[in-house]
Amino acid sequence: MSLYRRLFPEDNQTRLWVLIDPDKAPHNELVKVAMNAEEGGASAILIGGSLLFNDAFDQVVQSIKRDVNIPVILFPGSSRQISRYADGILFMSLLSGRNPQFLIGEQVQAAPIISSIGLPAISTAYLLIESGTTTSAEFVSNTRPIPRTKPLIAAAHAQAAELLGMKVIYLEAGSGAKMPVPPEMVKVVSQSVSIPVIVGGGIINSEGAKTAAKNGARVIVVGTAIEEKGSKVISEIAAALFTTVVNG
Ligand code: 1GP
């Protein structure tokens, strides 16, 4: 089965993915979170962050990969965050921004490496949505997020992505966002494209996850809530999603 089909099965079940930021905890704790994620019902692990201070990125990916069976996918903030030990990479373009470095510059740096190590890549449109305060993603990328009251602007970006041949939309409020992506925006974007929509940033409990799922999100990404509340939040959200049908 292709990695894409494994990540986005053809059913109407929304999946939970857990984001692990290598800078947020010591190596052994990151591995423990990954193991808890698998046990709690997450269907993939994302590894990455806006910045990377940890110089052991490769070792973190390798250890996590060794100890879990669910796909381990890179979620790179830059071309530095590539590892041959992952199962694949979200090959993202920050399409909501107008900074050429994150639209195409980093991708040009990364592409030859990804090709040479044969890492499966999933073309992903990364859309940053205004979420109350300046997030790391906004600051580091030096781009303006899409206004949260403008779902049609977000939808137009998503449609452009699909027409360009991209395979996934990632609606991102930013890690630790005060407010998640508005439900109305998730709905309008999900109904505007036929490719899967991932929603992340500021989702901290089952309610938030279910709301995004009911509005069409195929995947919910959670990171900060696990750092703050512990791994039990993973099984709570996974269980809530299991009983939620996607309407988008
Ligand atoms: C960030 O979407 C992810 O890129 C997850 O966000 O850390 O707020 O859960 P949180």
Side-chain angles (χ1 to χ4, degrees), residues 58 74 105 136:
D58 228 18
L74 304 178
S136 302

Side-chain angles (χ1 to χ4, degrees), residues 17-21 24 46 48-50 75 92 126 128 137 170-178 180 198-204 220-227:
W17 294 359
V18 164
L19 172 66
I20 293 183
D21 182 336
K24 292 283 179 70
L46 287 186
S50 297
F75 173 63
M92 302 189 289
Y126 192 59
L128 196 53
Y170 194 130
L171 285 180
E172 171 71 280
S175 193
K178 288 251 174 303
I198 301 173
V199 178
I203 297 177
I204 54 170
I220 306 295
V221 179
V222 174
T224 305
I226 301 161
E227 292 154 26

Side-chain angles (χ1 to χ4, degrees), residues 173-186:
S175 193
K178 288 251 174 303
M179 297 181 281
V181 177
E184 176 67 12
M185 187 179 277
V186 176

Side-chain angles (χ1 to χ4, degrees), residues 30-240:
L30 299 173
V31 176
K32 218 179 289 169
V33 173
M35 291 166 77
N36 290 339
E38 178 168 34
E39 203 182 302
S43 60
I45 304 287
L46 287 186
I47 303 183
S50 297
L51 286 172
L52 178 65
F53 302 117
N54 189 329
D55 62 0
F57 184 73
D58 228 18
Q59 288 97 308
V60 169
V61 175
Q62 194 175 15
S63 309
I64 290 176
K65 180 65 198 143
R66 196 175 44 224
D67 285 336
V68 303
N69 294 308
I70 52 178
V72 174
I73 307 297
L74 304 178
F75 173 63
S78 76
S79 51
R80 282 182 58 219
Q81 299 178 29
I82 298 174
S83 169
R84 67 174 66 247
Y85 300 110
D87 291 301
I89 182 168
L90 294 186
F91 194 66
M92 302 189 289
S93 176
L94 178 46
L95 227 57
S96 56
R98 300 296 180 266
N99 180 348
Q101 182 191 351
F102 293 98
L103 278 168
I104 187 61
E106 293 292 325
Q107 294 78 356
V108 169
Q109 298 282 341
I113 303 168
I114 292 171
S115 294
S116 73
I117 61 178
L119 190 63
I122 296 177
S123 174
T124 303
Y126 192 59
L127 306 184
L128 196 53
I129 312 300
E130 182 196 347
S131 61
T133 51
T134 305
T135 59
S136 302
E138 177 182 347
F139 181 78
V140 172
S141 67
N142 197 17
T143 65
R144 288 168 68 192
I146 293 174
R148 55 189 292 108
T149 53
K150 304 286 183 193
L152 292 178
I153 294 182
H157 282 74
Q159 288 170 321
E162 186 169 22
L163 289 175
L164 283 165
M166 301 178 94
K167 300 290 184 252
V168 180
I169 306 294
Y170 194 130
L171 285 180
E172 171 71 280
S175 193
K178 288 251 174 303
M179 297 181 281
V181 177
E184 176 67 12
M185 187 179 277
V186 176
K187 187 177 191 170
V188 172
V189 169
S190 300
Q191 289 177 347
S192 304
V193 292
S194 63
I195 52 179
V197 175
I198 301 173
V199 178
I203 297 177
I204 54 170
N205 53 32
S206 318
E207 277 319 299
K210 271 165 78 169
T211 301
K214 280 185 185 156
N215 283 286
R218 293 286 307 279
V219 170
I220 306 295
V221 179
V222 174
T224 305
I226 301 161
E227 292 154 26
E228 291 176 356
K229 302 183 189 177
S231 292
K232 68 176 190 322
V233 77
I234 300 170
S235 47
E236 286 168 12
I237 293 178

